[in-house]
Amino acid sequence: MSSVIVNTAPTVTVTISSSLNSFTAEKRLDRGLTLAEMKCKLELVVGSPASCMDLQLYNTDNRFLLNLDQDDALLGSYPVDNGCRIHVIDKSGARIGEFEDLSRVEKYEISQDAYEKRSDSVRSFLKKNRMGKFNEEETAQKAAEQQRKLDEEKAAAETINVGERCEVRSIGQPTKRGTVMYVGLTDFKPGYWIGVKYDEPLGKHDGSVEGKRYFTCPLKYGAFMKPQFVVVGDFPEEDYGLDDEM
């Protein structure tokens, strides 16, 4: 008779669950670990002390198989296959979800004055290396660039008047015709904006954004565009044949 040799992989990938937490974790474990050694590794996963753990083994169909109750036994001596689940039952008396409640974690707080005096803080590092907002030249350049863009938007907006017919020509979108209903600054985003009432329901709102009304039009006919995408001119409303009799 020929003999059959079964090769067992040295590691196994299992799912870890716990009576203390709602989440699960996937871990690769060495089959040569004793259960006592494995419990120590699971402390950081589930938050339960190794001495307060009972272990249960579930198969790949999530059916209970047996208790892992011999601390000196090797994990590989149990029928643990890839995809099995090891469930940790906590006996420390901790509450369910206790280690997930971040409101119970004591937070370290420091005053602004004390933080300003520290030499090992992120702020101190940024100051020392003249980075971010502490780089006066870079900050000034960014401010100048923002002002330049704002000035360009303002100049473009000043050439557009409420009541004028227009076409909206945005990149990658079909041209849309409508009427200019609003020109100026808004509360929802910085810069200058042009409010347009489209000839068709191709917009996003009725002229009201985030609770503030800028103009009035039917729902889905209103939109806001940057001035550079709005061209005013003699653009009569197109006849789509909606009023033709059948």
Side-chain angles (χ1 to χ4, degrees):
M1 296 181 62
S2 61
S3 60
V4 178
I5 300 175
V6 179
N7 293 318
T8 302
T11 62
V12 61
T13 300
V14 298
T15 299
I16 306 298
S17 60
S18 168
S19 62
L20 285 181
N21 306 296
S22 60
F23 64 85
T24 59
E26 189 176 271
K27 297 291 292 183
R28 179 185 294 177
L29 299 172
D30 191 326
R31 293 181 189 271
L33 289 172
T34 65
L35 295 189
E37 292 171 331
M38 185 181 70
K39 286 180 179 180
C40 291
K41 289 182 175 294
L42 294 182
E43 282 185 338
L44 295 177
V45 178
V46 301
S48 181
S51 59
C52 298
M53 291 183 188
D54 279 343
L55 304 179
Q56 294 179 334
L57 178 63
Y58 290 77
N59 67 9
T60 55
D61 294 326
N62 209 29
R63 294 182 180 178
F64 174 77
L65 290 180
L66 48 83
N67 292 310
L68 306 179
D69 50 10
Q70 299 294 323
D71 281 355
D72 57 348
L74 297 179
L75 177 63
S77 66
Y78 291 94
V80 183
D81 295 319
N82 288 326
C84 285
R85 178 167 65 94
I86 296 177
H87 184 63
V88 180
I89 299 176
D90 178 82
K91 300 185 298 181
S92 68
R95 296 184 299 105
I96 295 177
E98 181 172 347
F99 300 120
E100 298 178 70
D101 186 0
L102 299 181
S103 66
R104 296 170 58 86
V105 179
E106 184 176 354
K107 298 176 178 60
Y108 175 74
E109 296 182 358
I110 184 173
S111 68
Q112 285 293 329
D113 289 341
Y115 184 69
E116 188 69 32
K117 295 176 182 178
R118 295 190 61 158
S119 60
D120 58 348
S121 66
V122 173
R123 183 181 298 173
S124 174
F125 175 82
L126 294 176
K127 280 185 176 181
K128 186 183 302 182
N129 293 278
R130 298 174 60 83
M131 298 172 62
K133 66 180 182 180
F134 300 105
N135 185 330
E136 296 180 0
E137 182 178 350
E138 182 180 343
T139 301
Q141 288 177 348
K142 288 183 177 180
E145 178 64 17
Q146 291 176 348
Q147 186 60 49
R148 183 187 65 79
K149 289 183 178 180
L150 185 62
D151 290 342
E152 288 181 354
E153 283 187 0
K154 181 179 180 181
E158 288 176 344
T159 65
I160 301 173
N161 299 306
V162 172
E164 288 184 306
R165 291 289 297 171
C166 68
E167 282 189 345
V168 174
R169 304 173 182 175
S170 53
I171 300 173
Q173 298 291 327
T175 299
K176 306 171 187 176
R177 288 190 178 183
T179 302
V180 176
M181 303 294 289
Y182 179 87
V183 178
L185 301 172
T186 66
D187 291 341
F188 56 83
K189 280 186 179 180
Y192 286 81
W193 292 84
I194 308 300
V196 177
K197 180 184 74 172
Y198 288 133
D199 295 340
E200 298 179 273
L202 302 174
K204 297 183 177 180
H205 48 73
D206 63 352
S208 176
V209 179
E210 296 180 357
K212 180 174 180 178
R213 179 161 298 283
Y214 296 91
F215 60 91
T216 301
C217 69
L219 186 62
K220 298 295 184 180
Y221 279 75
F224 277 96
M225 300 297 297
K226 282 297 184 178
Q228 62 266 32
F229 299 118
V230 179
V231 178
V232 296
D234 183 16
F235 300 117
E237 185 173 350
E238 295 180 351
D239 184 6
Y240 298 99
L242 298 180
D243 297 327
D244 293 346
E245 295 183 1
M246 299 294 291

mmCIF file of all heavy atoms in Angstrom, residues 140-172:
data_model
loop_
_atom_site.group_PDB
_atom_site.id
_atom_site.type_symbol
_atom_site.label_atom_id
_atom_site.label_comp_id
_atom_site.label_asym_id
_atom_site.label_seq_id
_atom_site.Cartn_x
_atom_site.Cartn_y
_atom_site.Cartn_z
ATOM 1 N N ALA A 140 2.617 85.191 1.101
ATOM 2 C CA ALA A 140 2.335 86.421 0.356
ATOM 3 C C ALA A 140 2.058 86.109 -1.108
ATOM 4 O O ALA A 140 1.167 86.713 -1.727
ATOM 5 C CB ALA A 140 3.507 87.392 0.489
ATOM 6 N N GLN A 141 2.788 85.152 -1.671
ATOM 7 C CA GLN A 141 2.579 84.774 -3.069
ATOM 8 C C GLN A 141 1.199 84.166 -3.269
ATOM 9 O O GLN A 141 0.509 84.461 -4.245
ATOM 10 C CB GLN A 141 3.665 83.795 -3.519
ATOM 11 C CG GLN A 141 5.043 84.420 -3.690
ATOM 12 C CD GLN A 141 6.100 83.402 -4.074
ATOM 13 O OE1 GLN A 141 5.867 82.188 -4.008
ATOM 14 N NE2 GLN A 141 7.266 83.879 -4.461
ATOM 15 N N LYS A 142 0.794 83.302 -2.333
ATOM 16 C CA LYS A 142 -0.525 82.682 -2.435
ATOM 17 C C LYS A 142 -1.627 83.727 -2.316
ATOM 18 O O LYS A 142 -2.623 83.683 -3.041
ATOM 19 C CB LYS A 142 -0.686 81.616 -1.350
ATOM 20 C CG LYS A 142 0.128 80.361 -1.591
ATOM 21 C CD LYS A 142 -0.131 79.330 -0.511
ATOM 22 C CE LYS A 142 0.638 78.047 -0.784
ATOM 23 N NZ LYS A 142 0.398 77.021 0.274
ATOM 24 N N ALA A 143 -1.430 84.663 -1.380
ATOM 25 C CA ALA A 143 -2.426 85.723 -1.205
ATOM 26 C C ALA A 143 -2.523 86.588 -2.454
ATOM 27 O O ALA A 143 -3.616 86.966 -2.884
ATOM 28 C CB ALA A 143 -2.069 86.578 0.013
ATOM 29 N N ALA A 144 -1.368 86.874 -3.066
ATOM 30 C CA ALA A 144 -1.360 87.693 -4.281
ATOM 31 C C ALA A 144 -2.035 86.956 -5.433
ATOM 32 O O ALA A 144 -2.770 87.558 -6.229
ATOM 33 C CB ALA A 144 0.082 88.054 -4.651
ATOM 34 N N GLU A 145 -1.813 85.646 -5.528
ATOM 35 C CA GLU A 145 -2.426 84.854 -6.583
ATOM 36 C C GLU A 145 -3.942 84.796 -6.415
ATOM 37 O O GLU A 145 -4.696 84.911 -7.388
ATOM 38 C CB GLU A 145 -1.846 83.439 -6.571
ATOM 39 C CG GLU A 145 -2.436 82.488 -7.605
ATOM 40 C CD GLU A 145 -2.163 82.905 -9.043
ATOM 41 O OE1 GLU A 145 -1.264 83.745 -9.253
ATOM 42 O OE2 GLU A 145 -2.853 82.396 -9.947
ATOM 43 N N GLN A 146 -4.396 84.625 -5.160
ATOM 44 C CA GLN A 146 -5.837 84.617 -4.890
ATOM 45 C C GLN A 146 -6.470 85.953 -5.236
ATOM 46 O O GLN A 146 -7.568 86.014 -5.799
ATOM 47 C CB GLN A 146 -6.083 84.266 -3.417
ATOM 48 C CG GLN A 146 -5.742 82.826 -3.060
ATOM 49 C CD GLN A 146 -5.906 82.544 -1.578
ATOM 50 O OE1 GLN A 146 -6.070 83.454 -0.758
ATOM 51 N NE2 GLN A 146 -5.841 81.275 -1.209
ATOM 52 N N GLN A 147 -5.780 87.048 -4.912
ATOM 53 C CA GLN A 147 -6.308 88.375 -5.215
ATOM 54 C C GLN A 147 -6.354 88.594 -6.717
ATOM 55 O O GLN A 147 -7.296 89.200 -7.238
ATOM 56 C CB GLN A 147 -5.440 89.444 -4.546
ATOM 57 C CG GLN A 147 -5.986 90.857 -4.675
ATOM 58 C CD GLN A 147 -7.364 91.004 -4.052
ATOM 59 O OE1 GLN A 147 -7.587 90.582 -2.912
ATOM 60 N NE2 GLN A 147 -8.301 91.593 -4.786
ATOM 61 N N ARG A 148 -5.323 88.099 -7.440
ATOM 62 C CA ARG A 148 -5.308 88.246 -8.897
ATOM 63 C C ARG A 148 -6.503 87.538 -9.527
ATOM 64 O O ARG A 148 -7.180 88.090 -10.404
ATOM 65 C CB ARG A 148 -4.007 87.676 -9.462
ATOM 66 C CG ARG A 148 -3.872 87.846 -10.979
ATOM 67 C CD ARG A 148 -2.651 87.110 -11.508
ATOM 68 N NE ARG A 148 -2.783 85.662 -11.337
ATOM 69 C CZ ARG A 148 -3.503 84.878 -12.131
ATOM 70 N NH1 ARG A 148 -4.175 85.407 -13.160
ATOM 71 N NH2 ARG A 148 -3.564 83.576 -11.930
ATOM 72 N N LYS A 149 -6.781 86.300 -9.064
ATOM 73 C CA LYS A 149 -7.919 85.552 -9.594
ATOM 74 C C LYS A 149 -9.234 86.256 -9.277
ATOM 75 O O LYS A 149 -10.142 86.311 -10.110
ATOM 76 C CB LYS A 149 -7.931 84.138 -9.006
ATOM 77 C CG LYS A 149 -6.814 83.249 -9.533
ATOM 78 C CD LYS A 149 -6.916 81.842 -8.965
ATOM 79 C CE LYS A 149 -5.827 80.942 -9.533
ATOM 80 N NZ LYS A 149 -5.919 79.559 -8.973
ATOM 81 N N LEU A 150 -9.326 86.820 -8.053
ATOM 82 C CA LEU A 150 -10.534 87.531 -7.669
ATOM 83 C C LEU A 150 -10.739 88.759 -8.528
ATOM 84 O O LEU A 150 -11.866 89.064 -8.951
ATOM 85 C CB LEU A 150 -10.468 87.912 -6.185
ATOM 86 C CG LEU A 150 -11.730 88.561 -5.596
ATOM 87 C CD1 LEU A 150 -12.910 87.587 -5.671
ATOM 88 C CD2 LEU A 150 -11.495 88.997 -4.157
ATOM 89 N N ASP A 151 -9.654 89.487 -8.800
ATOM 90 C CA ASP A 151 -9.737 90.685 -9.644
ATOM 91 C C ASP A 151 -10.173 90.316 -11.066
ATOM 92 O O ASP A 151 -10.966 91.034 -11.692
ATOM 93 C CB ASP A 151 -8.386 91.404 -9.682
ATOM 94 C CG ASP A 151 -8.042 92.051 -8.347
ATOM 95 O OD1 ASP A 151 -8.957 92.228 -7.525
ATOM 96 O OD2 ASP A 151 -6.845 92.341 -8.127
ATOM 97 N N GLU A 152 -9.654 89.199 -11.584
ATOM 98 C CA GLU A 152 -10.033 88.763 -12.925
ATOM 99 C C GLU A 152 -11.515 88.384 -12.963
ATOM 100 O O GLU A 152 -12.225 88.725 -13.921
ATOM 101 C CB GLU A 152 -9.174 87.565 -13.343
ATOM 102 C CG GLU A 152 -7.732 87.925 -13.661
ATOM 103 C CD GLU A 152 -6.928 86.709 -14.082
ATOM 104 O OE1 GLU A 152 -7.470 85.576 -14.016
ATOM 105 O OE2 GLU A 152 -5.759 86.880 -14.485
ATOM 106 N N GLU A 153 -11.980 87.684 -11.917
ATOM 107 C CA GLU A 153 -13.395 87.312 -11.854
ATOM 108 C C GLU A 153 -14.275 88.554 -11.778
ATOM 109 O O GLU A 153 -15.323 88.633 -12.430
ATOM 110 C CB GLU A 153 -13.657 86.407 -10.639
ATOM 111 C CG GLU A 153 -13.217 84.972 -10.833
ATOM 112 C CD GLU A 153 -13.641 84.094 -9.679
ATOM 113 O OE1 GLU A 153 -14.277 84.616 -8.723
ATOM 114 O OE2 GLU A 153 -13.350 82.891 -9.714
ATOM 115 N N LYS A 154 -13.849 89.523 -10.974
ATOM 116 C CA LYS A 154 -14.635 90.747 -10.824
ATOM 117 C C LYS A 154 -14.727 91.491 -12.148
ATOM 118 O O LYS A 154 -15.809 91.961 -12.543
ATOM 119 C CB LYS A 154 -14.009 91.646 -9.766
ATOM 120 C CG LYS A 154 -14.790 92.935 -9.522
ATOM 121 C CD LYS A 154 -14.119 93.779 -8.443
ATOM 122 C CE LYS A 154 -14.911 95.069 -8.213
ATOM 123 N NZ LYS A 154 -14.268 95.928 -7.185
ATOM 124 N N ALA A 155 -13.586 91.598 -12.868
ATOM 125 C CA ALA A 155 -13.580 92.301 -14.150
ATOM 126 C C ALA A 155 -14.493 91.598 -15.150
ATOM 127 O O ALA A 155 -15.228 92.246 -15.912
ATOM 128 C CB ALA A 155 -12.153 92.372 -14.685
ATOM 129 N N ALA A 156 -14.464 90.262 -15.160
ATOM 130 C CA ALA A 156 -15.328 89.507 -16.074
ATOM 131 C C ALA A 156 -16.792 89.657 -15.687
ATOM 132 O O ALA A 156 -17.664 89.794 -16.555
ATOM 133 C CB ALA A 156 -14.925 88.030 -16.058
ATOM 134 N N ALA A 157 -17.079 89.651 -14.372
ATOM 135 C CA ALA A 157 -18.460 89.771 -13.909
ATOM 136 C C ALA A 157 -19.043 91.135 -14.245
ATOM 137 O O ALA A 157 -20.239 91.268 -14.521
ATOM 138 C CB ALA A 157 -18.525 89.523 -12.399
ATOM 139 N N GLU A 158 -18.199 92.173 -14.232
ATOM 140 C CA GLU A 158 -18.683 93.529 -14.498
ATOM 141 C C GLU A 158 -19.119 93.726 -15.950
ATOM 142 O O GLU A 158 -19.771 94.723 -16.274
ATOM 143 C CB GLU A 158 -17.600 94.542 -14.133
ATOM 144 C CG GLU A 158 -17.406 94.678 -12.617
ATOM 145 C CD GLU A 158 -16.259 95.615 -12.259
ATOM 146 O OE1 GLU A 158 -15.442 95.911 -13.168
ATOM 147 O OE2 GLU A 158 -16.179 96.026 -11.086
ATOM 148 N N THR A 159 -18.774 92.786 -16.817
ATOM 149 C CA THR A 159 -19.199 92.879 -18.226
ATOM 150 C C THR A 159 -20.530 92.166 -18.450
ATOM 151 O O THR A 159 -21.041 92.156 -19.576
ATOM 152 C CB THR A 159 -18.143 92.252 -19.153
ATOM 153 O OG1 THR A 159 -18.055 90.839 -18.896
ATOM 154 C CG2 THR A 159 -16.778 92.879 -18.920
ATOM 155 N N ILE A 160 -21.082 91.579 -17.393
ATOM 156 C CA ILE A 160 -22.324 90.807 -17.497
ATOM 157 C C ILE A 160 -23.400 91.493 -16.667
ATOM 158 O O ILE A 160 -23.163 91.877 -15.512
ATOM 159 C CB ILE A 160 -22.098 89.365 -16.995
ATOM 160 C CG1 ILE A 160 -21.003 88.681 -17.820
ATOM 161 C CG2 ILE A 160 -23.391 88.552 -17.053
ATOM 162 C CD1 ILE A 160 -20.588 87.315 -17.287
ATOM 163 N N ASN A 161 -24.585 91.658 -17.257
ATOM 164 C CA ASN A 161 -25.670 92.348 -16.577
ATOM 165 C C ASN A 161 -26.879 91.439 -16.403
ATOM 166 O O ASN A 161 -27.172 90.584 -17.254
ATOM 167 C CB ASN A 161 -26.089 93.593 -17.371
ATOM 168 C CG ASN A 161 -24.957 94.588 -17.517
ATOM 169 O OD1 ASN A 161 -24.363 95.006 -16.526
ATOM 170 N ND2 ASN A 161 -24.642 94.953 -18.750
ATOM 171 N N VAL A 162 -27.575 91.651 -15.282
ATOM 172 C CA VAL A 162 -28.809 90.907 -15.021
ATOM 173 C C VAL A 162 -29.814 91.195 -16.142
ATOM 174 O O VAL A 162 -29.977 92.346 -16.559
ATOM 175 C CB VAL A 162 -29.394 91.288 -13.654
ATOM 176 C CG1 VAL A 162 -30.782 90.667 -13.469
ATOM 177 C CG2 VAL A 162 -28.466 90.844 -12.536
ATOM 178 N N GLY A 163 -30.457 90.175 -16.626
ATOM 179 C CA GLY A 163 -31.448 90.312 -17.675
ATOM 180 C C GLY A 163 -30.926 89.989 -19.060
ATOM 181 O O GLY A 163 -31.712 89.819 -20.003
ATOM 182 N N GLU A 164 -29.603 89.913 -19.213
ATOM 183 C CA GLU A 164 -29.037 89.612 -20.521
ATOM 184 C C GLU A 164 -29.185 88.131 -20.846
ATOM 185 O O GLU A 164 -29.157 87.272 -19.957
ATOM 186 C CB GLU A 164 -27.558 89.996 -20.562
ATOM 187 C CG GLU A 164 -27.313 91.490 -20.593
ATOM 188 C CD GLU A 164 -25.847 91.824 -20.742
ATOM 189 O OE1 GLU A 164 -25.028 91.335 -19.934
ATOM 190 O OE2 GLU A 164 -25.507 92.585 -21.675
ATOM 191 N N ARG A 165 -29.337 87.860 -22.137
ATOM 192 C CA ARG A 165 -29.345 86.488 -22.603
ATOM 193 C C ARG A 165 -27.901 85.966 -22.625
ATOM 194 O O ARG A 165 -26.939 86.746 -22.815
ATOM 195 C CB ARG A 165 -29.957 86.394 -23.996
ATOM 196 C CG ARG A 165 -31.442 86.677 -24.028
ATOM 197 C CD ARG A 165 -32.229 85.539 -23.388
ATOM 198 N NE ARG A 165 -32.036 84.300 -24.172
ATOM 199 C CZ ARG A 165 -32.452 83.108 -23.754
ATOM 200 N NH1 ARG A 165 -33.039 82.968 -22.576
ATOM 201 N NH2 ARG A 165 -32.264 82.033 -24.506
ATOM 202 N N CYS A 166 -27.742 84.681 -22.436
ATOM 203 C CA CYS A 166 -26.390 84.149 -22.343
ATOM 204 C C CYS A 166 -26.328 82.693 -22.767
ATOM 205 O O CYS A 166 -27.352 82.010 -22.905
ATOM 206 C CB CYS A 166 -25.863 84.286 -20.908
ATOM 207 S SG CYS A 166 -26.731 83.210 -19.732
ATOM 208 N N GLU A 167 -25.104 82.259 -22.993
ATOM 209 C CA GLU A 167 -24.809 80.848 -23.169
ATOM 210 C C GLU A 167 -23.783 80.435 -22.119
ATOM 211 O O GLU A 167 -22.819 81.184 -21.869
ATOM 212 C CB GLU A 167 -24.255 80.550 -24.565
ATOM 213 C CG GLU A 167 -25.312 80.509 -25.643
ATOM 214 C CD GLU A 167 -24.753 79.988 -26.962
ATOM 215 O OE1 GLU A 167 -23.513 79.921 -27.120
ATOM 216 O OE2 GLU A 167 -25.573 79.648 -27.836
ATOM 217 N N VAL A 168 -23.986 79.291 -21.523
ATOM 218 C CA VAL A 168 -23.031 78.738 -20.563
ATOM 219 C C VAL A 168 -22.201 77.709 -21.302
ATOM 220 O O VAL A 168 -22.730 76.716 -21.809
ATOM 221 C CB VAL A 168 -23.749 78.110 -19.360
ATOM 222 C CG1 VAL A 168 -22.744 77.410 -18.449
ATOM 223 C CG2 VAL A 168 -24.507 79.179 -18.579
ATOM 224 N N ARG A 169 -20.905 77.950 -21.358
ATOM 225 C CA ARG A 169 -20.001 77.078 -22.107
ATOM 226 C C ARG A 169 -18.928 76.545 -21.158
ATOM 227 O O ARG A 169 -17.830 77.087 -21.054
ATOM 228 C CB ARG A 169 -19.360 77.846 -23.253
ATOM 229 C CG ARG A 169 -20.366 78.484 -24.210
ATOM 230 C CD ARG A 169 -19.677 79.383 -25.225
ATOM 231 N NE ARG A 169 -20.644 80.043 -26.115
ATOM 232 C CZ ARG A 169 -20.309 80.953 -27.035
ATOM 233 N NH1 ARG A 169 -19.024 81.305 -27.168
ATOM 234 N NH2 ARG A 169 -21.234 81.502 -27.793
ATOM 235 N N SER A 170 -19.239 75.482 -20.466
ATOM 236 C CA SER A 170 -18.286 74.873 -19.536
ATOM 237 C C SER A 170 -17.620 73.681 -20.195
ATOM 238 O O SER A 170 -18.217 72.989 -21.030
ATOM 239 C CB SER A 170 -18.986 74.438 -18.246
ATOM 240 O OG SER A 170 -20.094 73.605 -18.525
ATOM 241 N N ILE A 171 -16.387 73.427 -19.818
ATOM 242 C CA ILE A 171 -15.570 72.385 -20.442
ATOM 243 C C ILE A 171 -16.200 71.011 -20.236
ATOM 244 O O ILE A 171 -16.570 70.640 -19.118
ATOM 245 C CB ILE A 171 -14.148 72.402 -19.852
ATOM 246 C CG1 ILE A 171 -13.497 73.766 -20.105
ATOM 247 C CG2 ILE A 171 -13.303 71.275 -20.423
ATOM 248 C CD1 ILE A 171 -12.161 73.942 -19.429
ATOM 249 N N GLY A 172 -16.328 70.276 -21.337
ATOM 250 C CA GLY A 172 -16.858 68.924 -21.250
ATOM 251 C C GLY A 172 -18.356 68.834 -21.132
ATOM 252 O O GLY A 172 -18.904 67.743 -20.941
#
